[in-house]
Short mmCIF file of all heavy atoms in Angstrom, two decimals:
data_model
loop_
_atom_site.label_atom_id
_atom_site.label_comp_id
_atom_site.label_asym_id
_atom_site.label_seq_id
_atom_site.Cartn_x
_atom_site.Cartn_y
_atom_site.Cartn_z
N GLN D 13 29.38 -27.52 5.54
CA GLN D 13 30.15 -26.69 6.49
C GLN D 13 30.60 -25.39 5.84
O GLN D 13 30.69 -24.35 6.50
CB GLN D 13 31.35 -27.47 7.02
CG GLN D 13 30.96 -28.52 8.07
CD GLN D 13 32.08 -29.50 8.37
OE1 GLN D 13 32.90 -29.81 7.50
NE2 GLN D 13 32.10 -30.00 9.60
N ASN D 42 17.75 -28.45 7.00
CA ASN D 42 17.42 -29.80 6.55
C ASN D 42 18.67 -30.52 6.05
O ASN D 42 18.79 -31.73 6.16
CB ASN D 42 16.39 -29.70 5.42
CG ASN D 42 15.83 -31.04 5.02
OD1 ASN D 42 15.30 -31.77 5.85
ND2 ASN D 42 15.96 -31.41 3.76
N PHE D 43 19.61 -29.78 5.50
CA PHE D 43 20.85 -30.38 4.99
C PHE D 43 22.03 -30.10 5.92
O PHE D 43 23.18 -30.26 5.53
CB PHE D 43 21.13 -29.89 3.57
CG PHE D 43 20.08 -30.32 2.58
CD1 PHE D 43 19.10 -29.44 2.14
CD2 PHE D 43 20.06 -31.61 2.10
CE1 PHE D 43 18.13 -29.84 1.23
CE2 PHE D 43 19.09 -32.03 1.19
CZ PHE D 43 18.12 -31.14 0.76
N VAL D 58 18.76 -15.82 13.34
CA VAL D 58 18.69 -17.11 12.63
C VAL D 58 17.29 -17.64 12.91
O VAL D 58 17.05 -18.27 13.93
CB VAL D 58 19.79 -18.07 13.13
CG1 VAL D 58 19.68 -19.41 12.40
CG2 VAL D 58 21.17 -17.46 12.92
N GLY D 72 12.12 -11.27 3.18
CA GLY D 72 13.50 -10.93 2.81
C GLY D 72 13.57 -9.69 1.94
O GLY D 72 14.44 -8.83 2.14
N VAL D 73 12.64 -9.55 1.01
CA VAL D 73 12.63 -8.36 0.16
C VAL D 73 12.41 -7.11 1.02
O VAL D 73 13.12 -6.11 0.88
CB VAL D 73 11.54 -8.46 -0.94
CG1 VAL D 73 11.46 -7.17 -1.75
CG2 VAL D 73 11.78 -9.66 -1.85
N SER D 89 15.11 -26.44 -4.03
CA SER D 89 14.95 -25.39 -5.04
C SER D 89 13.61 -25.54 -5.77
O SER D 89 13.10 -24.57 -6.32
CB SER D 89 16.10 -25.39 -6.03
OG SER D 89 16.02 -26.49 -6.91
N MET D 109 12.11 -0.58 -10.95
CA MET D 109 10.85 0.17 -10.94
C MET D 109 10.99 1.45 -10.12
O MET D 109 10.30 2.43 -10.39
CB MET D 109 9.72 -0.70 -10.39
CG MET D 109 9.41 -1.90 -11.27
SD MET D 109 7.92 -2.84 -10.76
CE MET D 109 8.35 -3.32 -9.10
N ARG D 121 19.06 -18.84 -0.95
CA ARG D 121 19.77 -20.12 -1.10
C ARG D 121 18.76 -21.24 -1.27
O ARG D 121 17.73 -21.25 -0.59
CB ARG D 121 20.60 -20.44 0.15
CG ARG D 121 21.71 -19.46 0.48
CD ARG D 121 22.34 -19.82 1.84
NE ARG D 121 22.45 -21.26 1.97
CZ ARG D 121 21.86 -21.99 2.91
NH1 ARG D 121 21.15 -21.41 3.86
NH2 ARG D 121 21.98 -23.30 2.92
N GLY D 127 19.63 -37.21 -7.83
CA GLY D 127 20.63 -38.17 -7.38
C GLY D 127 20.41 -38.69 -5.98
O GLY D 127 21.25 -39.44 -5.47
N GLN D 133 9.34 -33.78 -7.20
CA GLN D 133 9.15 -32.45 -6.58
C GLN D 133 10.29 -32.03 -5.65
O GLN D 133 10.21 -30.99 -5.00
CB GLN D 133 7.82 -32.43 -5.80
CG GLN D 133 6.59 -32.60 -6.68
CD GLN D 133 5.32 -32.76 -5.88
OE1 GLN D 133 5.36 -33.20 -4.73
NE2 GLN D 133 4.18 -32.43 -6.47
N LEU D 152 26.00 -20.91 -9.02
CA LEU D 152 25.92 -22.36 -8.87
C LEU D 152 27.28 -22.92 -8.48
O LEU D 152 28.04 -23.35 -9.35
CB LEU D 152 25.46 -23.03 -10.17
CG LEU D 152 24.06 -22.73 -10.69
CD1 LEU D 152 24.09 -21.60 -11.69
CD2 LEU D 152 23.45 -23.96 -11.33
N THR D 155 32.14 -26.76 -5.76
CA THR D 155 32.81 -27.42 -4.62
C THR D 155 32.61 -26.58 -3.36
O THR D 155 32.11 -25.46 -3.43
CB THR D 155 34.32 -27.54 -4.86
OG1 THR D 155 34.88 -26.21 -4.84
CG2 THR D 155 34.65 -28.21 -6.18
N LYS D 160 32.06 -21.43 -0.68
CA LYS D 160 32.33 -20.44 0.38
C LYS D 160 32.63 -19.07 -0.21
O LYS D 160 32.05 -18.07 0.20
CB LYS D 160 33.48 -20.91 1.28
CG LYS D 160 33.66 -19.98 2.45
CD LYS D 160 34.70 -20.40 3.43
CE LYS D 160 34.95 -19.24 4.40
NZ LYS D 160 36.10 -19.47 5.26
N ALA D 166 27.90 -13.35 -2.69
CA ALA D 166 26.45 -13.19 -2.82
C ALA D 166 25.90 -12.32 -1.70
O ALA D 166 25.11 -11.40 -1.93
CB ALA D 166 25.76 -14.56 -2.82
N ALA D 224 35.25 -37.17 -16.27
CA ALA D 224 35.27 -37.57 -17.67
C ALA D 224 36.57 -37.09 -18.33
O ALA D 224 37.22 -37.82 -19.09
CB ALA D 224 34.05 -37.02 -18.40
N GLU D 231 43.68 -41.00 -22.16
CA GLU D 231 43.69 -41.50 -23.55
C GLU D 231 44.32 -40.49 -24.49
O GLU D 231 44.24 -40.63 -25.71
CB GLU D 231 42.24 -41.79 -23.99
CG GLU D 231 41.56 -42.83 -23.12
CD GLU D 231 40.09 -43.03 -23.48
OE1 GLU D 231 39.68 -42.67 -24.60
OE2 GLU D 231 39.35 -43.54 -22.62
N THR D 242 28.78 -18.57 -12.20
CA THR D 242 27.53 -17.80 -12.20
C THR D 242 26.94 -17.80 -13.60
O THR D 242 27.66 -17.69 -14.59
CB THR D 242 27.76 -16.33 -11.75
OG1 THR D 242 28.76 -15.72 -12.55
CG2 THR D 242 28.17 -16.26 -10.29
N GLN D 249 33.50 -14.14 -22.12
CA GLN D 249 34.86 -14.02 -22.64
C GLN D 249 35.69 -15.28 -22.41
O GLN D 249 36.39 -15.75 -23.31
CB GLN D 249 35.57 -12.80 -22.02
CG GLN D 249 35.11 -11.49 -22.63
CD GLN D 249 34.91 -11.56 -24.15
OE1 GLN D 249 35.76 -12.05 -24.88
NE2 GLN D 249 33.75 -11.12 -24.62
N VAL D 255 36.78 -21.69 -26.57
CA VAL D 255 36.23 -22.34 -27.77
C VAL D 255 37.02 -21.93 -29.02
O VAL D 255 37.20 -22.72 -29.95
CB VAL D 255 34.73 -22.04 -27.92
CG1 VAL D 255 34.17 -22.64 -29.21
CG2 VAL D 255 33.96 -22.59 -26.73
N LYS D 257 40.04 -21.60 -29.07
CA LYS D 257 41.23 -22.47 -29.02
C LYS D 257 40.88 -23.91 -29.40
O LYS D 257 41.60 -24.53 -30.19
CB LYS D 257 41.79 -22.42 -27.59
CG LYS D 257 43.00 -23.29 -27.34
CD LYS D 257 43.59 -23.06 -25.94
CE LYS D 257 42.68 -23.63 -24.84
NZ LYS D 257 43.26 -23.54 -23.50
N SER D 270 15.70 -29.25 -22.50
CA SER D 270 14.96 -28.30 -23.34
C SER D 270 14.65 -27.00 -22.59
O SER D 270 14.16 -27.02 -21.47
CB SER D 270 13.66 -28.92 -23.84
OG SER D 270 13.96 -29.90 -24.80
N ASP D 284 30.07 -15.22 -31.65
CA ASP D 284 31.50 -14.97 -31.43
C ASP D 284 32.39 -16.14 -31.85
O ASP D 284 33.55 -15.94 -32.15
CB ASP D 284 31.74 -14.66 -29.95
CG ASP D 284 31.03 -13.40 -29.53
OD1 ASP D 284 31.49 -12.31 -29.93
OD2 ASP D 284 30.00 -13.50 -28.85
N PHE D 286 31.29 -18.80 -33.98
CA PHE D 286 30.76 -19.57 -35.11
C PHE D 286 31.84 -19.99 -36.11
O PHE D 286 31.93 -21.15 -36.50
CB PHE D 286 29.68 -18.75 -35.82
CG PHE D 286 29.04 -19.45 -36.97
CD1 PHE D 286 28.16 -20.51 -36.76
CD2 PHE D 286 29.32 -19.08 -38.29
CE1 PHE D 286 27.56 -21.17 -37.83
CE2 PHE D 286 28.73 -19.74 -39.36
CZ PHE D 286 27.85 -20.78 -39.13
N ALA D 308 16.53 -46.73 -10.45
CA ALA D 308 16.67 -47.41 -11.74
C ALA D 308 16.23 -46.52 -12.89
O ALA D 308 16.65 -46.70 -14.03
CB ALA D 308 15.83 -48.69 -11.74
N LEU D 309 15.40 -45.55 -12.58
CA LEU D 309 14.94 -44.60 -13.61
C LEU D 309 15.68 -43.27 -13.52
O LEU D 309 15.90 -42.61 -14.52
CB LEU D 309 13.44 -44.35 -13.43
CG LEU D 309 12.50 -45.55 -13.55
CD1 LEU D 309 11.08 -45.15 -13.17
CD2 LEU D 309 12.55 -46.13 -14.96
N LYS D 319 28.43 -40.58 -19.43
CA LYS D 319 27.78 -39.93 -20.59
C LYS D 319 28.61 -38.76 -21.10
O LYS D 319 28.68 -38.52 -22.31
CB LYS D 319 26.39 -39.41 -20.19
CG LYS D 319 25.35 -40.50 -20.13
CD LYS D 319 23.98 -39.88 -19.91
CE LYS D 319 23.19 -40.74 -18.96
NZ LYS D 319 22.07 -40.07 -18.34
N ARG D 330 38.82 -36.55 -34.46
CA ARG D 330 39.04 -35.70 -35.64
C ARG D 330 38.70 -36.46 -36.92
O ARG D 330 38.78 -37.65 -36.96
CB ARG D 330 40.51 -35.27 -35.71
CG ARG D 330 40.96 -34.69 -34.40
CD ARG D 330 41.80 -33.47 -34.58
NE ARG D 330 42.19 -33.01 -33.24
CZ ARG D 330 42.12 -31.75 -32.85
NH1 ARG D 330 41.70 -30.82 -33.65
NH2 ARG D 330 42.50 -31.41 -31.64
#
Side-chain angles (χ1 to χ4, degrees):
Chain D
Q13 284 167 329
N42 189 56
F43 295 102
V58 179
V73 176
S89 73
M109 295 187 301
R121 298 173 39 241
Q133 295 172 336
L152 295 95
T155 67
K160 186 176 170 190
E231 300 175 20
T242 54
Q249 283 320 312
V255 177
K257 178 174 71 175
S270 289
D284 297 287
F286 182 72
L309 300 172
K319 282 187 220 161
R330 310 222 180 226

